[in-house]
């Protein structure tokens, strides 16, 4: 069935104002997300915050069910958070590491994750090693296998790096983790919402996700998936009255399920908006979204690559909606500024965001143009023409 681009754009008010190729930063929300979020805020103002939450119980509950459905999980396996980083941190620091334990990760790991690894090396006496890439630039699964021993307690991988169009072979890595009984944490921040993700197919035990990127949810939203089979082994680093119960003057009981990772307070309007955003993505169909995102990105990459002085940097056997490039003798930040003047949004990824990877590739910074299904072929055309004019 043909993709209904007209409807996608009509239901995305931002498309009338900007050419938005910064979906890997924060995508344009749809009208239903906007309506639900604003309506909720209005109810808070009209009847009070707690009262609005009671009234909207079903809509708030729906966000858990929607997130669970999106990734093939159960409702009890979802904790809502305010970002992917907060989901990831809570998961990582709940793991029962002992000095000498090893963590295997990828070269293109996101800076927030790697900074935590470095902190955990100091704090907990564990070691963290980045597995080499294969000839396609993605994590080398054979090299991962070679690094395994009984001290490896976690495989922690970024599915789609922040500064590359590649998709790491998450399910192949999951197979290795399962074969060896090693916990597997997947940073799905950039992949969630642009491609189908199923935690059973991938075989991960923990997964972190954000709301504002490819899911098109409100800012300040995210979620953590924790497999029911392991949750009882995990004690969050910090607890509160919503994640545990104060059972006697000297005791507390941690809540069952993923709920142990949640705070009492959250931006409820944004939580409702996230649920609507996930339902909306499911309605379009993740397969259809993925196909369209890839087609647009592939077209954009191919056309940029023909321009003199433009270097496209994406690697990987499977490429996603993130398109990265540089222009000879031009600063990526200056390109971003020039594009902004034409009402075109892109972002710039700095070397420090994925330090191991971009340092190895000799790149200080790169332009990141990230497309979504509501972007049009005309926008790709206009983008390429604008870049051509800048050369
Ligand atoms: C791969 C990856 N992981 C994690 C994050 C952090 O996401 P958040 O800002 O929602 O915490 C980002 C943000 O760009 C990212 O690209």
């Amino acid at each position: 069935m043909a993709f209904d681009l007209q409807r996608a754009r009509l239901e995305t008010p931002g498309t009338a104002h900007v050419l938005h190729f910064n979906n890997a930063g924060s995508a344009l929300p749809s009208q239903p997300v906007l309506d639900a979020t604003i309506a909720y805020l209005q109810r808070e103002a009209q009847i009070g915050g707690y009262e609005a939450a009671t009234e909207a119980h079903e809509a708030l509950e729906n966000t858990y069910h929607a997130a669970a459905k999106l990734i093939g999980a159960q409702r009890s396996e979802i904790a809502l958070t305010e970002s992917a980083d907060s989901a990831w941190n809570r998961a990582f620091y709940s793991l029962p590491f002992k000095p000498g334990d090893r963590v295997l990760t990828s070269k293109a790991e996101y800076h927030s994750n790697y900074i935590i690894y470095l902190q955990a090396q100091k704090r907990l006496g564990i070691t963290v090693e980045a597995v080499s890439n294969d000839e396609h630039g993605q994590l080398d699964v054979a090299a991962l296998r070679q690094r395994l021993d009984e001290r490896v307690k976690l495989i922690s991988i970024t599915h789609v790096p922040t500064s590359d169009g590649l998709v790491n072979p998450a399910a192949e890595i999951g197979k290795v983790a399962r074969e060896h009984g090693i916990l597997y944490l997947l940073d799905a921040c950039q992949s969630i919402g642009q491609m189908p993700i199923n935690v059973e197919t991938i075989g991960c035990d923990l997964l972190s996700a954000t709301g504002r990127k490819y899911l098109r949810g409100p800012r300040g939203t995210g979620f953590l998936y924790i497999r029911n089979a392991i949750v009882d082994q995990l004690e969050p680093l910090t607890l509160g009255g919503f994640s545990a119960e104060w059972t006697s003057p000297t005791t507390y009981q941690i809540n069952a399920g993923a709920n142990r990772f949640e705070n009492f307070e959250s931006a409820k309007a944004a939580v409702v908006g996230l649920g609507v955003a996930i339902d909306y993505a499911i309605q379009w169909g993740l397969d259809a979204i993925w196909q369209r995102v890839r087609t647009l990105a592939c077209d954009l990459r191919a056309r940029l690559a023909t321009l003199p002085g433009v270097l496209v940097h994406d690697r990987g056997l499977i490429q996603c909606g993130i398109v990265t490039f540089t222009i000879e003798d031009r600063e990526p930040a200056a390109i971003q500024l020039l594009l902004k003047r034409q009402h075109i949004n892109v972002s710039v990824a700095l070397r420090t965001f994925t330090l191991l990877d971009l340092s190895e590739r000799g790149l200080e910074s790169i332009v990141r143009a990230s497309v979504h299904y509501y972007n049009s072929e005309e926008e790709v055309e206009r983008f390429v023409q604008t870049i051509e004019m800048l050369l």
Side-chain angles (χ1 to χ4, degrees), residues 108 133 137 161 163-166 312-315 324 351 354-364 366:
N133 290 329
S163 46
D164 205 322
L166 71 81
V312 174
H313 296 288
D314 302 314
R315 304 161 306 167
T324 61
R351 186 173 64 90
T354 48
L355 185 96
L356 298 183
D357 184 48
L358 287 195
S359 299
E360 266 186 18
R361 297 159 70 194
L363 293 165
E364 238 355 274
I366 48 183

Side-chain angles (χ1 to χ4, degrees), residues 159-201:
H159 197 186
V160 166
T162 205
S163 46
D164 205 322
L166 71 81
V167 183
N168 268 319
E172 281 178 61
I173 295 165
K175 201 161 161 270
V176 176
R178 282 199 168 170
E179 276 169 20
H180 293 83
I182 299 169
L183 288 178
Y184 179 21
L185 164 59
L186 187 70
D187 173 346
C189 181
Q190 292 291 2
S191 52
I192 198 89
Q194 67 163 315
M195 63 188 73
I197 289 187
N198 182 291
V199 289
E200 292 310 324
T201 313

Side-chain angles (χ1 to χ4, degrees), residues 24 83-86 110 113 158 160-162 187 189-190 210 212-213:
S83 69
D85 272 357
S86 65
Y110 190 61
N113 304 354
T158 296
V160 166
T162 205
D187 173 346
C189 181
Q190 292 291 2
T210 204
R212 72 181 183 281
K213 297 180 188 286

Side-chain angles (χ1 to χ4, degrees), residues 5-192:
L5 179 64
Q6 198 187 2
R7 186 188 137 212
R9 290 180 73 76
L10 273 176
E11 292 180 359
T12 306
T15 57
H17 304 280
V18 286
L19 192 169
H20 193 67
F21 280 2
N22 191 13
N23 295 289
S26 187
L28 297 175
S30 68
Q31 191 66 51
V33 169
L34 214 55
D35 290 345
T37 310
I38 293 170
Y40 187 94
L41 275 178
Q42 274 166 350
R43 275 317 268 169
E44 279 190 341
Q46 284 161 359
I47 65 167
Y50 284 21
E51 294 72 14
T54 306
E55 183 181 85
H57 176 75
E58 259 178 50
L60 290 162
E61 235 338 89
N62 175 62
T63 305
Y64 292 93
H65 290 285
K69 183 170 173 197
L70 179 71
I71 60 170
Q74 294 175 40
R75 188 258 179 255
S76 60
E77 295 177 309
I78 303 293
L80 298 179
T81 64
E82 66 277 10
S83 69
D85 272 357
S86 65
W88 193 96
N89 289 351
R90 285 175 215 188
F92 184 83
Y93 265 124
S94 72
L95 299 170
F97 289 121
K98 293 185 305 303
D101 285 348
R102 297 170 62 213
V103 174
L104 298 181
T105 187
S106 53
K107 284 271 182 187
E109 197 68 1
Y110 190 61
H111 54 170
S112 298
N113 304 354
Y114 217 93
I115 287 166
I116 299 287
Y117 298 144
L118 295 176
Q119 187 189 42
Q121 292 198 150
K122 274 199 300 183
R123 266 194 187 164
L124 309 174
I126 63 172
T127 56
V128 179
E129 300 152 48
V131 176
S132 51
N133 290 329
D134 66 13
E135 70 273 27
H136 308 291
Q138 57 197 29
L139 182 129
D140 185 339
V141 180
L144 174 73
R145 279 187 192 279
Q146 280 166 10
R147 295 245 191 165
L148 296 178
D149 67 18
E150 70 291 344
R151 288 184 302 136
V152 175
K153 293 291 154 52
L154 178 71
I155 296 175
S156 174
I157 303 293
T158 296
H159 197 186
V160 166
T162 205
S163 46
D164 205 322
L166 71 81
V167 183
N168 268 319
E172 281 178 61
I173 295 165
K175 201 161 161 270
V176 176
R178 282 199 168 170
E179 276 169 20
H180 293 83
I182 299 169
L183 288 178
Y184 179 21
L185 164 59
L186 187 70
D187 173 346
C189 181
Q190 292 291 2
S191 52
I192 198 89

Side-chain angles (χ1 to χ4, degrees), residues 209-225:
T210 204
R212 72 181 183 281
K213 297 180 188 286
Y214 277 93
L215 277 177
R216 309 181 62 198
R219 293 203 65 175
T221 57
F223 66 86
L224 170 65
Y225 155 79

